[in-house]
Structures are given as C-alpha cells and as structure tokens.
C-alpha cells in the first residue's frame, strides 16, 4: 500500500487524461495528493474528469489542446501552470490508433497516428524538459507504450512505428537528461478494456478469446496500471530511469515462447502427452 500523501509535492500533466487509462491515472495521482492537469482535444471528458477529481478533494485543472501542435500545447501548459503551479511530472498517454491493412493506409492516416503518438510525446517532453532545465528543478516523464513497441505488430503499423519511437525517446533522454535530474520511464500495457482502445482494436465477439489467450485469463484493470504509474512517478522510483515496465499478464512473453501454446490446452492433456513421450513409456 502507498502512503496517502505519496505524490503530495507533485503537479502532474497527463495528456489524454480525460478518458480511459489517462483518467484512471489522473484519479490515482489525485488520490495520492498530487495536483493533476489533464489535456486532450474534447473539452467534455476533460471537464468531467477535473470536476470529479475536485469533488474527491483533489486539486485539478484541464485545458483543451492538440498534442500535435506545439504552440497549442505551450499555451495550454502555461495557463495550467498559472492555475496549479509548476509541473513536476508529465505522463505521455495521448494516442491515436486503428486497425487497418498497411497496404491500404493513406499517407495522412500514417501521419495522423505518428503525429499524435511520437510527435505529441516529443512536443510535450521537450516543452516541460526545457522548463525543468531552466528552473533546475528536475522532473519525471512517464510514457505509455505497449509491447509491440519492441515486437512490432501487423495491422497497427503507424502505432507500432510511433510507440517504438517513444521507447527510443525514453531511453535516449533518460541518459541525456539525467544530469538535469530528469528521469524518463515507460509502461507497456497489454489489453485494458477502455472504450477508446476496444472500440477501435477489439473486433466484436473476440474479447472472450482474447482473455483466454492471456496467461492470466483476463484483461488488465485500469486501477492496476494506475498503481504502477503512481509508483514510477513517485520518489519511491527515484533510481528507476530509462526503464519500460510491462503490465500485460505475461502475454507478450507467451506469444514468443516456443511451447507457450501448450498452456492453452487442458493441463491433464498436456501432462498425458508429455508422459507418453518419456523414454521407455512410448507404446
Ligand atoms: C484506415 C483511417 C482509419 C481507419 C482514420 N483513418 N481511421 N484509415 N482505417 N480505421 C484515416 C482517415 O481516413 C484520414 O486519412 C486519417 O486517418 C486521419 O483521420 P481523421 O479522422 O481525420 O483524424 P482525426 O480526427 O485526427 O482522428 C485521429 C484518429 C482517431 C487516430 C483517426 O481514431 C482518434 O481520434 N483517436 C483517438 C483515440 C484513440 O485512438 N484511442 C485508442 C488508443 S489505444 P485521409 O487520407 O482519408 O485523409 C492504443 C492501444 C495500443 O493505442 C495497444 C493495444 C494492445
Ligand atoms: P483512449 O481513452 O482513447 O485514450 C486516448 C486519449 O488520447 C484520449 O483521451 C484522447 O482524447 C487523447 N488524444 C488523442 N489524440 C489526441 C491529440 N491529438 N491531442 C491531445 N489528446 C489526444 O484510450 P486508452 O486505452 O485509455 O489509451 C491510453 C494510452 O494507453 C494510449 O497511449 C494507448 O496507446 C495506451 N495503451 C492502451 C491499451 C489498452 O488496451 N487500452 C493497451 C496498450 C497501450 P481526445 O480524443 O479528446 O483528444
């Protein structure tokens, strides 16, 4: 269990914080006494999130902006810092994604996802990084990836390319900016049932099979990811830098493991098969 005031001295900017995993992280951080600012494009979910955080006793603010546009981001974060005080941490969570055969992608489709995920992360990270360097305050950056950042994945090519870029950004700046007291880490979630992700990436009727394919037989709970994020943002993780922590129930490991598929069969059947193959036991 965390101390209730684990994030008391933090002011955290969460991109895409009005929905899904971003909102779950916003709620957890505010519950641990951080001041939380959420940005995204749609005012509705942002306002609702900030109101909910304030109703729960937290300090919160929101601003509408598109992370693809560094000017919009700069203006929004200046206003938010006036309201909440200087940011101490950034969560790069905003993303765009959809399933599509790569040969059918338009140039603008590729551009759109890469600009939200990779360029948006670069703009937000450089913007706050420059302020932290100038203020000599240090800072923390946490970016939300997914295991296909290093594995690659068919049918989500723009996202896979962009997330791989964010992993490279995380590892590069973790070293380059350590001297300024800025640490950068990432989280790689497996499937978490949010409206944003599942409406675009989980074809109807496939959820149960997807759950069964996971070694733990279930999807992640947003609160589980939010706890991991709170730890990585907190002083408890002061010596964790340049790391990407996977939270997927072991799914990506299983996909790559030679005999991982055996675990999908009834265990009695697997044991009987293996016993029958032992030397001296073959019929
Ligand atoms: C092919 C598509 C497409 C699709 C859009 N495009 N959807 N192409 N298949 N399904 C094309 C459009 O035709 C257009 O190209 C270009 O992409 C831009 O589309 P717009 O709709 O104009 O873009 P915009 O309004 O900026 O919306 C961005 C978006 C949208 C990414 C397309 O889905 C969005 O707003 N997403 C935000 C939330 C989100 O995606 N959340 C999921 C994150 S989950 P043309 O050439 O026609 O102009 C996630 C999980 C990862 O990342 C890991 C899972 C395990
Ligand atoms: P989500 O609810 O769709 O979250 C995406 C957020 O990004 C939304 O709040 C969206 O708000 C914001 N956003 C999109 N484009 C933006 C832009 N141009 N400028 C500013 N904000 C923008 O989906 P989610 O599942 O919570 O995803 C959150 C993060 O987790 C993403 O990085 C995603 O890749 C990652 N992830 C999710 C899963 C999963 O299974 N859920 C798995 C692995 C990784 P607006 O549309 O209002 O702008």
């Amino acid at each position: 269990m965390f101390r209730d005031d684990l994030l008391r001295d933090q002011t955290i900017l969460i991109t895409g914080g009005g929905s899904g995993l971003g909102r779950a992280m916003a709620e957890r951080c505010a519950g641990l006494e951080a001041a939380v600012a959420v940005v995204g494009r749609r005012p509705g979910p942002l306002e609702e999130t900030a109101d909910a955080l304030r109703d729960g006793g937290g300090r919160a603010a929101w601003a509408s902006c598109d992370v693809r546009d560094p000017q919009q981001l700069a203006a929004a974060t200046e206003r938010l810092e006036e309201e909440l005080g200087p940011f101490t941490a950034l969560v790069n969570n905003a993303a765009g994604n959809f399933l599509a055969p790569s040969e059918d992608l338009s140039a603008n489709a590729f551009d759109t996802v890469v600009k939200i995920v990779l360029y948006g992360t670069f703009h937000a990270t450089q913007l706050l990084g420059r302020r932290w360097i100038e203020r000599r305050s240090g800072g923390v950056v946490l970016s939300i990836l997914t295991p296909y950042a290093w594995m690659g994945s068919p049918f989500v090519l723009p996202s896979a390319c962009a997330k791989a870029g964010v992993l490279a950004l995380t590892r590069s700046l973790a070293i380059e900016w350590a001297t300024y007291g800025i640490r950068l880490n990432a989280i790689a979630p497996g499937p978490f049932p949010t409206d944003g992700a599942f409406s675009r990436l989980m074809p109807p009727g496939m959820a149960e099979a997807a759950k069964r394919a996971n070694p733990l037989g279930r999807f992640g709970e947003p609160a589980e990811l939010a706890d991991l994020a709170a730890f990585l943002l907190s002083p408890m993780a002061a010596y964790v830098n340049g790391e990407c922590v996977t939270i997927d129930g072991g799914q990506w490991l299983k996909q790559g493991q030679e005999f991982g598929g055996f675990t999908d069969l009834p265990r009695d059947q697997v044991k009987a098969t293996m016993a029958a193959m032992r030397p001296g036991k073959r019929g």
Side-chain angles (χ1 to χ4, degrees), residues 10-13 77 81 85-92 121 124-142 173 177 179-185 233:
Q10 300 242 28
T11 303
I12 304 173
L13 174 65
T77 53
E81 285 202 319
F87 287 119
T88 62
L90 163 68
V91 181
N92 289 307
T121 298
T125 305
Q126 191 196 46
L127 183 74
L128 291 201
R130 281 175 170 165
R131 290 183 198 167
W132 293 333
I133 292 166
E134 197 184 303
R135 293 170 187 158
R136 298 173 191 273
S137 61
V140 185
V141 178
L142 180 64
L173 288 179
W177 284 357
T179 190
Y180 301 122
I182 299 172
R183 58 183 186 85
L184 294 95
N185 291 299
L233 290 165

Side-chain angles (χ1 to χ4, degrees), residues 152-172:
S153 175
F155 305 117
V156 283
L157 183 72
S159 174
C161 293
K163 296 283 190 188
V166 177
L167 181 58
L169 178 150
T170 300
R171 290 177 170 158
S172 304

Side-chain angles (χ1 to χ4, degrees), residues 88-269:
T88 62
L90 163 68
V91 181
N92 289 307
N93 166 80
N97 206 352
F98 47 74
L99 286 171
S102 300
E103 62 273 25
D104 298 339
L105 287 169
S106 69
N108 190 36
F110 188 85
D111 215 38
T112 297
V113 172
V114 173
K115 282 197 168 144
I116 298 170
V117 176
L118 179 56
Y119 281 61
T121 298
F122 168 73
H123 296 320
T125 305
Q126 191 196 46
L127 183 74
L128 291 201
R130 281 175 170 165
R131 290 183 198 167
W132 293 333
I133 292 166
E134 197 184 303
R135 293 170 187 158
R136 298 173 191 273
S137 61
V140 185
V141 178
L142 180 64
S143 297
I144 309 303
L145 306 177
T146 187
Y148 64 59
W150 59 89
M151 295 172 74
S153 175
F155 305 117
V156 283
L157 183 72
S159 174
C161 293
K163 296 283 190 188
V166 177
L167 181 58
L169 178 150
T170 300
R171 290 177 170 158
S172 304
L173 288 179
I175 307 310
E176 187 178 336
W177 284 357
T179 190
Y180 301 122
I182 299 172
R183 58 183 186 85
L184 294 95
N185 291 299
I187 293 178
F192 283 71
T194 64
D195 290 344
F198 273 40
S199 64
R200 294 175 173 90
L201 303 172
M202 183 63 73
M206 284 183 66
E208 284 312 309
K211 268 189 213 168
R212 279 197 303 276
N214 188 285
L216 293 181
R218 66 174 177 90
F219 296 136
E221 300 280 346
E224 293 174 314
L225 181 135
D227 278 338
L228 177 58
F231 167 74
L232 289 170
L233 290 165
S234 81
M236 290 171 76
Y239 203 52
V240 182
N241 189 30
E243 190 51 75
C244 177
V245 183
T246 303
I247 177 165
D248 73 341
Q251 182 163 304
W252 88 269
L253 273 178
K254 179 186 168 185
Q255 284 166 354
Q257 285 179 342
E258 185 67 32
F259 301 109
F262 280 8
T263 61
D264 292 337
L265 302 171
R267 192 55 56 97
D268 287 350
Q269 183 186 334

